[in-house]
Structure formats: C-alpha cells, structure tokens
Amino acid sequence: MSGPAGLRAFLDERCAARGDAVFLWFRGQTWSYADLAAITDGAASAFCRLGLVRGDRVALLMPNGPEAVFTWLALAKLGAVTAPIHSQLTAPEVGAALSRLEPRALVVDETLSDRVSATPPGLRTIGPELQEILSSRDPLTGVDAPAPEDPADILMTSGTTGRPKGVVQSHRTFVLTGEAFAHWLGLTPEDRLFTCLPLSHVNARAYSTMGALASGGSLALEDRFSASRFWGWLADSAATQCNTIGAMLQIMLKAPPGAADRAHRVRLVYNAPALGQEAHLAFERRFGVRLVIGYGLSESTFGFVHPLQGERRLDSMGRLRSHPDQRFGNEARLVAEGRDVGPGQIGEIWLRNPATFSGYFRDEEATREVLTADGWLRTGDLARRDTGGWHTFVGRDKEIIRRRGENIAPAEVEAALESHPSVKEAAVVGAPSALGEEEVAAFVVLAPGANATEEELRAHAAARLAPFKVPSIWRFIDELPRTPTRRVARHLLRTQGG
C-alpha cells in the first residue's frame, strides 16, 4: 500500500505496474496504462511550456471523455489546481463560476465553446490547441512533483441551497479515496468501473477514476445518464462495476423490463442514498447485481458503506468506512444540541478522517461553520445509529420539515410515494403554513402513461405514513428541477410549495 502521496507519484507507480493493461475504455476505443503515462507526461510538459506552474488554478469545461481525464491528470502531475465546471451549465452560469474561481487558464472543449461568452481579464483560454497538447509525448522533466497536502481540485458543490461553494481537496484525498474505494468493493485488476456521472463531480473523479487506478483495473465512460441506454452501455464496455446516484435506480426500476436488463457482466452497483429494502431487493433481482449503498460527500469522501460480507441492513447507509492501512482512520459522531447522542437518537453526522477537505475556496466564514478546530466536519446531514454501528440517513438538517411539533424527513415520505407503481419520482419540501411551522408539499412526476390522482396517492401515503407525514399540498409536474450533479433542486421547489 503506497499510503498518502501526490497524484503524480501515484500515477507513475500505477502506470509502471500495469504497463500495457487497459486503463480507459470509451465508445469502443481503449488506452493502456502506458498510454496514460505518455499522454499525461507529454501534456504536463506542454502545459508547462504555456507558462502554467504548480499552484495555478485551471478551470476545465469539458464533457466526459478521454480528453477530460487526460487533461485533468496531466495538470495534476504539474501541480496545477483544476477546477472542473459542469458541462451542462449555461453561459451565464459558466461566467459566474469563472468570476468566482479567477483561474489562470480555462481549458474548454470545442463543442462547449459557445458556453464561454465572456471571460475575466487575463484569462488564457485553451481550446483548439488541446489536441496538439494531448498529442505531445515529451518527457516531464525539471518540474517538482506536488506534495500530498497540496490542493488538487476545487469542486463546486451542487448548490441545493442556491449558493454553490468551492470544495478544495488535496492530492492525499484522491489517493486515499481510490485505495479505500477499491478496498470497500473488493475490486481487482480484472474489474472495469463504469460511470456516466460528470467528471466535474467528486464521485466520478475520486471513486470511479481513482478506484480504477488503485485496483489496477480500468475505467469506462459515458457522457450522461440515459435509462434506455444504460445497460447497453454496460454490456458494450464489459463493465463489472458502476456508480449511480439519486433517482437513477428508481427511474430504471420504473422502466419496462427488457432483454438488456441482464445482458451485461456487472456484479456491483454502488449507489447513494439507500432505496429501502423492497426497492433494493427488487433492483438486485431484476438486474442480477449486488447493490452496495454508501455515504460520502464532496467535503469528505470517507463516510459509511455496506460491508460486502456478513449482515445486510438494506434501509441503512452502512457502517464506518475504513482504509486498508489502519494509519488512515475514520471516525464519526452524531451530535444534537452540542452533545453526542446515543443509539436510536437522531443527530448531525460529524466525520473526522484524512480524506476531509481543507476548506471552501475563499470563504473562511463558511469553512469555520463546518470545520471544527480539532478537525471534525459538520456535514449538515442527520442520521441515527443502532448498537451495531449501522447508520440510517434521516435527511438534511435544513431540509427537515417541522409540522405540528413533529420533525419529518422528506426522504421517508418520498420513498412512500415512489412505492406507488404510477409514480416515477417524487420530491417533498416544507411549505409555509398559515398555522405556523410548515406544511408538507409533494411534487410528483408520474410514470409514462400513468394517471394517478391526488386522492389515490394521498390514500397510498396514508396507508404507509403517520397522519402528520402525509402531504397536504400536491403538485404534478413533468420533471423535477435538478442541480448540475442531478440532485433535486429543493430550493426551487420551495418557491412553488404554496
């Protein structure tokens, strides 16, 4: 086990060990570990000739694909701090991100050049010349390797509150997370990890890409999620593992069964959050996979995970994750009103581990709100723990609905609604009430061809939930608003809740 290291040392060791083995698969084309070494060394050398140096911030506006992977890792070898921008953002959103980040350079894919309508003064834009940069095979010499504690990435949060922040993560976090992810899932050099999650997000970068490197396996990419094409992509790429988030699994469960459901080699699907026992088992039976639930976040990639062996508690998000090297421990607390709570009680998740971010970019106040002086991260997520160490997600502290003196977790109500065969997906938020506190507002997307009524869904919910949890406000909509990382944009729904 290499332990904490900079990404350059980690990549060099992995490439030397795996040589001609396949590292990357993309739409039928493959690149080996030897290709990875040559391309990233050459590109890092080319970026150096353009004047980029260790510590420079470089924004990336690129869709998922080989260019995005090689550009990111080449800049990491150079010691530049990459700031990926989601490829689906609009031109005003891209402009706002660039204004916040104030990067030295922007690498933009030619297909996305129309998203860059205005750039800050002094920003160097690298576009058409990128292919030439990635074609360079010059050795990387005369450039010091970045240290483990150096910043590697600034990852923009999804902005569910409407105020995205830049999460600064180190080289150490990416190396440790890759090693730990491979350990949690028992990955080997024979595994191929598929992701269609955006490479601007921590999941695809730290879990899928770094997990593939750490295990000596390979990575398969697609640009974005498609329920109708998902299992075909997995079959074509010969993937054995894939990562999913949010409503992706519920959408696939609601889709009509087809021949592609089991025409693949996937054995493990990693997902967050938990689906609930009924849907969890239904997904495993239909698609012939083992579904592993985990919990982590941009600010700390460690957290909880379902163990591969032994007892399974499918409604939970698992037990504490561990790195295979016990020097890199992981601790958790549940805290309410300034004190630790016991088994069965709800508290905010606090985490402390070496894969925790160093702070929010240029936002000391926000950093102080979540990072304590002794290294604990206050996640803002609520959970309860049983005596066996299993943690069950309750909800976001700021998303909890307070109605008639009771606390209601939106996830619980959403699960009840989504168990109805006519419901494709649902989101629940608090809405202002004339009586004080809040009312429960449900936003429902019906499955294609379904025509369930409010009365039918209210009765369905009432049979599964306490009366105070049953929504009093109902909205039927065509699509839930989402953030760039596919989380439900609840702050937008709250403006429609009344």
Side-chain angles (χ1 to χ4, degrees), residues 113-257:
S113 59
D114 62 335
R115 312 287 176 89
V116 186
S117 56
T119 59
L123 176 69
R124 172 156 193 164
T125 300
I126 301 170
E129 65 268 49
L130 181 59
Q131 289 303 321
E132 182 179 348
I133 289 170
L134 293 177
S135 297
S136 170
R137 294 296 182 269
D138 292 338
L140 179 59
T141 59
V143 178
D144 291 338
E149 64 273 10
D150 282 355
D153 267 5
I154 301 174
L155 300 171
M156 302 307 294
T157 62
S158 58
T160 54
T161 63
R163 298 193 305 275
K165 296 185 286 289
V167 176
V168 181
Q169 281 289 14
S170 69
H171 286 247
R172 174 187 286 110
T173 287
F174 282 100
V175 174
L176 291 179
T177 304
E179 293 172 341
F181 188 74
H183 172 66
W184 302 331
L185 297 189
L187 302 177
T188 75
E190 304 304 313
D191 280 303
R192 177 163 294 172
L193 287 64
F194 174 91
T195 187
C196 59
L197 303 178
L199 279 165
S200 56
H201 187 250
V202 70
N203 191 307
R205 290 168 94 79
Y207 294 150
S208 294
T209 306
M210 289 297 130
L213 286 162
S215 66
S218 54
L219 175 70
L221 289 176
E222 255 303 333
D223 187 33
R224 63 190 66 185
F225 173 66
S226 166
S228 62
R229 302 174 66 188
F230 187 78
W231 296 104
W233 286 338
L234 292 171
D236 290 345
S237 65
T240 61
Q241 190 276 333
C242 66
N243 280 15
T244 55
I245 59 172
M248 290 168 63
L249 301 192
Q250 290 284 9
I251 292 171
M252 287 189 280
L253 271 175
K254 300 285 184 179

Side-chain angles (χ1 to χ4, degrees), residues 374-389:
D374 54 354
W376 287 97
L377 170 66
R378 302 180 57 173
T379 68
D381 290 329
L382 302 178
R384 63 170 63 91
R385 178 185 61 245
D386 67 16
T387 55

